[in-house]
Each structure stands twice: as C-alpha cells, then as structure tokens.
Amino acid sequence: MAAASASTPLFSPPCAATAKLGAAAFPSHGSRRRAGARRGRLSVVAVQTGPQKPSPSSSSSTAAGTESETLQNLLKREYKYGFVSDFESFSIPKGLSEATVRRISELKAEPSWMLDFRLAAYRRFLTMVQPTWSDNVYEPVDLQSICYYSAPKTKPKLNSLDEVDPELLNTFDRLGIPLSEQKRLANVAVDAVIDSTSIATTHREELMKKGVIFCSISEAIREYPDLVKRYLGSVVPPADNYYAALNSAVFSDGSFCYVPKDTVCPMEISTYFRINDKETGQFERTLIVADERSTVSYLEGCTAPAYDSNQLHAAVVELVCEEQAEIKYSTVQNWYSGDEEGKGGIYNFVTKRGRCKGRASKISWTQVETGSAITWKYPSVELLGDDTVGEFYSVALTKDYQQADTGTKMIHKGKNSRSRIISKGISAGKSRNCYRGLVQINSGAENAYNSSQCDSLLIGDNAAANTYPTIQVGCISGRVEHEASTSKIGEDQLFYFQQRGIDHEKAVAAMIGGFCRAVFENLPYEFAHEMDALMNLKLEGSVG
C-alpha cells in the first residue's frame, strides 16, 4: 500500500489544494470501502493500489495458457483514425515567444483587447514552470519545437463550403462527421476544427432563429466581443495553471455557444477536433454560456494521425450556467495513444471547469477517455448558487503504455448544493490509470451533499490503478459519501464464462459493459450506441 504525502500538491490544473491532509489506505483486492462524513473541517486523502495476482484455481489452471494467449490478442485492432490527410496548409515557424503570440493574433484579425489578453497571459506564463506532481512519467515538453499555428490554405466563404479543399471534406467524411449540405447530420450542429482553425460550422442559421449563437471562438471574438469579453477567462483565468496560461496566450480555435434566456437549444451542438500536421500542437478554447432558464447539450470528439512522435494538445474549456440553466457536456476522447511499445501518441493536458453561478443551475460532465499517450485533466464544477447540482460520470481506459491522471473537483459554496461522482477506471497491458478527486464543502454551504463512487478494474498482471480522493468538509451540516473498489478480470472469471459456452471476447465485453453501464447511460444517444463497440475495439489484445 502506498500513502499520500501531505507535501505533494493535489492539483495544478485546474488549481492547487493546500489544506492539511490525513492519509488512509483502502483495502485493495476485490474490496470496497464506504466513508461518510458529516462533521466540520474533515480532510481525507486515500490511495488505492492494484491487487496482486491471485492464484488460479485448479479448475482453471489447465486452461490458463490458452486463456492467456487468447486474451493477449484481444486489444490489437488497428487505430482506424490514424490516417494523414494530404492538403495544402500554411504554418508559422516553430518556437514560442512574444512574437509568436502577436503573429497568431494578427493572423486571426483580432481586436486589440484580445491581443492584450494574450500578452498578459504569456507574461504570466513566463513566471511559471512545468508541473511534475502527477502520476504521469514523461520527458518535459519542449515548447520551442512546436508549431503554434497551422491552417489549410484554402479558406471557406462565410456560410459556404464551396471553397473548402475537397480533401478536407473527405477527411471529415472518413471520420463519420459529414459537413456537406447533402450529407450533414440533421439533428446535430457541428463545428469542425482541424489543427489551428475551424473550417465549418453547420446549422448556424437554424440555431440563430432561436437566438442560439454557435460558431468558432475566432468568429465570436470578432462578431460578439461583448459576450466574449464578459466570460472569457472568468472560470479558468490565465494564471490558474501552467497549461491554462499557455493556452490563453496561443489558443487558435475552438467553439463558442451562447443560449439566451428561456431557451432550449433545438439540437445537440458538437465540436470535432482533428490534428493533422505532425509538428503542430493544438490549443483549442471552448466557451459555453447558458443564460437563465436555458438548456444545452454539447458533444465533443477528437482524433489524430498515428505519428511516431508525441504531440501536445493543451485545451481550456469554460462553462457558465446562470439561474436555473443546465449544461450537459459529453466527451469521447479518442486521440492516438501510441503504438504497442509506447511510441508516439498525444499528450492531452486539459483544464475543464464549469461554474454554476445562479440558483438551481446544473452542470453535468460525462466523458469516455480511451485515447492519448498521456491524459491529464479534471473536469470540475464550482457550485456557487443555492440548490445547484454538479455531476461527473467518467470511464477512463488505458492499455499498452498509456498513462492517465484524471478525475474531478466539486467545490460546494451554495446552500443545499449537491454533487455526484461516478468514476470507472480500466487498466490493461502495462498502463497506469489514476483517479484524483477533490470534494470540498465550504463553511457557508449548509446541507450540501456529495456522493462519490470510484471503481478500478485491472486486466492482466502488469497494469496499475491508483485512487487519490480528497474530502474537505467545513460545514457541520455537510454530508459526503465515498465508495471505492478495485477488482480484476482474471482467469477464474473467464473460465466460468467458458464453461457456459461463452467465448473470451464476449465474456470480457460483458464484464466491461456491466462495469461501465452507469456512465454509458448518461451519454447522449449519438455517443451511447457506439460505446460498447469502441470499448471492445480498444480492449482487443490487452487482456492476459
């Protein structure tokens, strides 16, 4: 058993928690511990580590060799999004400096206030150092070797795709995101971002009939400056952490959505992020605002070519929820994760945070993390208003040499605020999967309540799973419930299925599906129907 150190920072992106920490260890193999907290000023940190390999029973030992060989072949399907598109693009020279920041702003024809925002963020960034406190192990990112702006040379006309390079349209067709008028999705508005620019946003006019603004963040800066100035950086300020400061200085594109008062967004809105250029980092910025008594559901997807070198994706997402408004944010993260030997893949360092400003507002994060060589993110909610609700549903799957340090924060400041956390971690191959969570109930958050469930599933003998939950209760009427478990798919369970005529792939699929069901049920239909297939695809070859 490992114990958390009180001197180790818990969060850098999104922020640092510096309260006094007490250490406790969860039982490991196949066990569950439930903790309830009702008294003030409670601080708990726990570490949950993976179990040791169990001894196979005599009934299953004869089949162990066959099972091990079969399971080792269960995760090796080719990454089907790893293709490279051949289109002409424009890129600025590699390297990071104040001149780089000014050049990006110039290329995007931004107003002076936006350049001032970028320069202030860059100067703040220069005072910071790359964080090293996570469970992830990797060489420091060389920011001078990255290109910070790359875009297709042919630009579309406003509300037209006539001038878009056909290869770009074909790229998104191959990704299952058709953009042309004849093929585009009828019930989902899509903002398609490739490298450093948005090439198209569908259904803009239809959404505008309802007063809903949905466009790229670059267009929003030019066309709706008052809205952007009011909310940009209000939830995640540039000084929040190292990668948030970097993003604020050099962000290229992303999505902006504003839903006016008393409006239900008439369709799902979605952004699809694609990296194509080998030497370019992607620094997207997403800002979603739901005004009073409005509702919106947002879907996010992402893929990248299968390069043998690492690429940096450092994004910032800000959600603002006014009184009685609701935002549902769903992500299927499928960046390239590298090959079987750990070569290549995306470094996915992201700050995502929502703020429930008004009374009875609600923010829900639902994510399925299956890609990236390294994932480092904590979608979080600040519950400022009374009767506010924050939810976090997550499945994080790692295989081969993938590493993930992910989780959430629920910060209760409003009376009667409620939050729920369901986190499912699946570790296979030689990967490392870490859940890191913070539940904080402030002194004025009377009758606040949180329920957390963090479960880890190990596949094979070499994977690792760690859990670091921190609970801080500063209000005597606050209540927190935390459950955690670690279990393992082993030879005994698979032999049990085999005795009943169920083959290995179907057995693993059944166990994974049941393990993740509580999260999948919270995904929009557009994502939920493909999740089982995606998980099966990712897990081929990693069990054993």
Side-chain angles (χ1 to χ4, degrees):
M1 289 288 182
S5 169
S7 63
T8 303
L10 179 64
F11 282 88
S12 179
C15 72
T18 58
K20 296 179 180 179
L21 305 180
F26 285 121
S28 56
H29 175 54
S31 62
R32 178 179 296 273
R33 176 171 177 173
R34 179 179 178 120
R38 300 186 61 96
R39 297 188 180 276
R41 303 196 180 280
L42 171 67
S43 181
V44 177
V45 174
V47 178
Q48 175 179 317
T49 58
Q52 301 297 317
K53 178 181 177 181
S55 300
S57 65
S58 57
S59 61
S60 62
S61 58
T62 56
T66 302
E67 290 172 354
S68 180
E69 182 179 351
T70 302
L71 296 177
Q72 287 292 346
N73 293 322
L74 250 185
L75 239 191
K76 294 184 180 178
R77 249 182 234 181
E78 184 180 358
Y79 178 71
K80 68 177 182 178
Y81 305 109
F83 62 88
V84 180
S85 299
D86 184 17
F87 56 83
E88 194 174 5
S89 62
F90 165 80
S91 301
I92 65 175
K94 292 187 288 186
L96 178 63
S97 66
E98 184 171 313
T100 306
V101 177
R102 291 182 179 275
R103 181 60 172 150
I104 292 171
S105 188
E106 177 187 8
L107 288 168
K108 302 179 81 61
E110 293 177 342
S112 59
W113 66 264
M114 190 64 240
L115 175 59
D116 292 341
F117 178 92
R118 290 181 181 275
L119 290 175
Y122 177 68
R123 288 160 189 157
R124 175 62 175 168
F125 168 78
L126 292 177
T127 68
M128 308 169 83
V129 296
Q130 290 193 38
T132 58
W133 49 262
S134 79
D135 275 14
N136 300 324
V137 179
Y138 60 95
E139 292 296 322
V141 179
D142 181 6
L143 297 179
Q144 299 303 326
S145 68
I146 296 173
C147 171
Y148 288 87
Y149 185 89
S150 178
K153 278 193 173 180
T154 305
K155 297 287 290 183
K157 295 178 181 177
L158 186 63
N159 297 322
S160 171
L161 295 175
D162 294 341
E163 293 186 0
V164 177
D165 188 328
E167 180 64 23
L168 280 174
L169 298 180
N170 180 57
T171 295
F172 284 93
D173 281 343
R174 292 177 68 182
L175 295 170
I177 312 292
L179 301 176
S180 63
E181 189 75 30
Q182 295 78 15
K183 300 179 182 178
R184 68 186 186 187
L185 302 173
N187 61 335
V188 180
V190 179
D191 183 22
V193 177
I194 191 161
D195 289 334
S196 302
T197 190
S198 168
I199 66 166
T201 306
T202 64
H203 297 296
R204 281 190 65 177
E205 292 183 358
E206 185 175 345
L207 289 170
M208 277 301 298
K209 292 176 183 178
K210 299 290 187 179
V212 177
I213 301 170
F214 180 51
C215 60
S216 71
I217 192 74
S218 299
E219 291 171 305
I221 289 169
R222 296 190 296 267
E223 299 175 19
Y224 309 99
D226 291 341
L227 277 174
V228 177
K229 286 174 70 174
R230 179 180 176 185
Y231 292 107
L232 185 68
S234 64
V235 182
V236 182
D240 190 84
N241 66 78
Y242 182 85
Y243 289 106
L246 176 63
N247 175 278
S248 297
V250 301
F251 75 85
S252 45
D253 227 328
S255 296
F256 174 80
C257 181
Y258 173 79
V259 185
K261 295 179 181 179
D262 302 301
T263 302
V264 176
C265 189
M267 63 179 68
E268 306 269 6
I269 62 171
S270 173
T271 307
Y272 197 96
F273 295 99
R274 175 72 177 177
I275 296 176
N276 191 71
D277 188 79
K278 185 175 183 178
E279 297 182 326
T280 298
Q282 190 175 70
F283 305 90
E284 94 229 18
R285 189 87 183 205
T286 297
L287 176 58
I288 300 175
V289 181
D291 216 329
E292 296 176 7
R293 298 174 298 279
S294 65
T295 302
V296 62
S297 177
Y298 175 87
L299 317 177
E300 177 187 53
C302 46
T303 57
Y307 293 128
D308 59 5
S309 58
N310 298 111
Q311 291 175 278
L312 176 62
H313 172 258
V316 170
V317 175
E318 298 179 282
L319 310 183
V320 181
C321 229
E322 301 288 358
E323 183 174 342
Q324 297 184 51
E326 180 176 350
I327 298 175
K328 183 172 185 178
Y329 193 108
S330 304
T331 301
V332 173
Q333 186 270 103
N334 197 22
W335 294 118
Y336 179 55
S337 60
D339 63 18
E340 295 176 21
E341 302 302 319
K343 191 175 182 179
I346 302 295
Y347 286 178
N348 187 36
F349 300 161
V350 179
T351 303
K352 290 184 173 182
R353 190 176 307 153
R355 177 172 290 164
C356 288
K357 290 180 62 178
R359 182 186 62 83
S361 55
K362 178 180 179 181
I363 291 177
S364 296
W365 298 100
T366 303
Q367 64 176 29
V368 177
E369 304 279 336
T370 63
S372 300
I374 299 176
T375 298
W376 199 0
K377 59 185 290 193
Y378 312 97
S380 305
V381 183
E382 297 178 14
L383 300 160
L384 302 186
D386 295 344
D387 302 304
T388 48
V389 178
E391 295 178 336
F392 175 78
Y393 304 97
S394 173
V395 170
L397 165 67
T398 57
K399 65 182 183 68
D400 296 329
Y401 286 88
Q402 281 181 272
Q403 302 177 70
D405 195 313
T406 185
T408 187
K409 296 193 301 179
M410 294 291 172
I411 310 299
H412 293 256
K413 297 182 179 180
K415 298 176 181 178
N416 303 310
S417 53
R418 305 186 309 280
S419 63
R420 186 184 189 195
I421 298 170
I422 295 181
S423 173
K424 306 287 184 176
I426 304 170
S427 307
K430 296 181 179 179
S431 68
R432 186 179 185 92
N433 203 330
C434 164
Y435 170 84
R436 193 182 303 270
L438 170 66
V439 175
Q440 185 179 85
I441 297 180
N442 289 2
S443 59
E446 297 177 5
N447 298 313
Y449 170 74
N450 165 266
S451 173
S452 298
Q453 181 180 332
C454 305
D455 298 319
S456 300
L457 182 65
L458 296 173
I459 303 177
D461 300 325
N462 299 310
N466 297 324
T467 301
Y468 305 99
T470 297
I471 302 169
Q472 299 171 350
V473 181
C475 178
I476 195 168
S477 61
R479 186 159 60 96
V480 176
E481 298 178 355
H482 181 91
E483 299 183 21
S485 72
T486 299
S487 55
K488 179 179 179 180
I489 291 182
E491 297 163 357
D492 291 351
Q493 295 100 319
L494 293 170
F495 185 72
Y496 178 87
F497 276 92
Q498 187 181 42
Q499 285 180 316
R500 286 149 182 81
I502 301 172
D503 65 29
H504 291 78
E505 291 195 24
K506 290 181 180 179
V508 172
M511 286 186 275
I512 294 293
F515 183 73
C516 300
R517 188 59 53 195
V519 175
F520 289 171
E521 287 175 347
N522 286 280
L523 282 170
Y525 174 77
E526 287 78 9
F527 281 169
H529 73 282
E530 61 189 46
M531 276 303 94
D532 286 335
L534 177 63
M535 299 299 284
N536 293 341
L537 178 74
K538 286 286 182 178
L539 280 172
E540 288 195 356
S542 66
V543 189

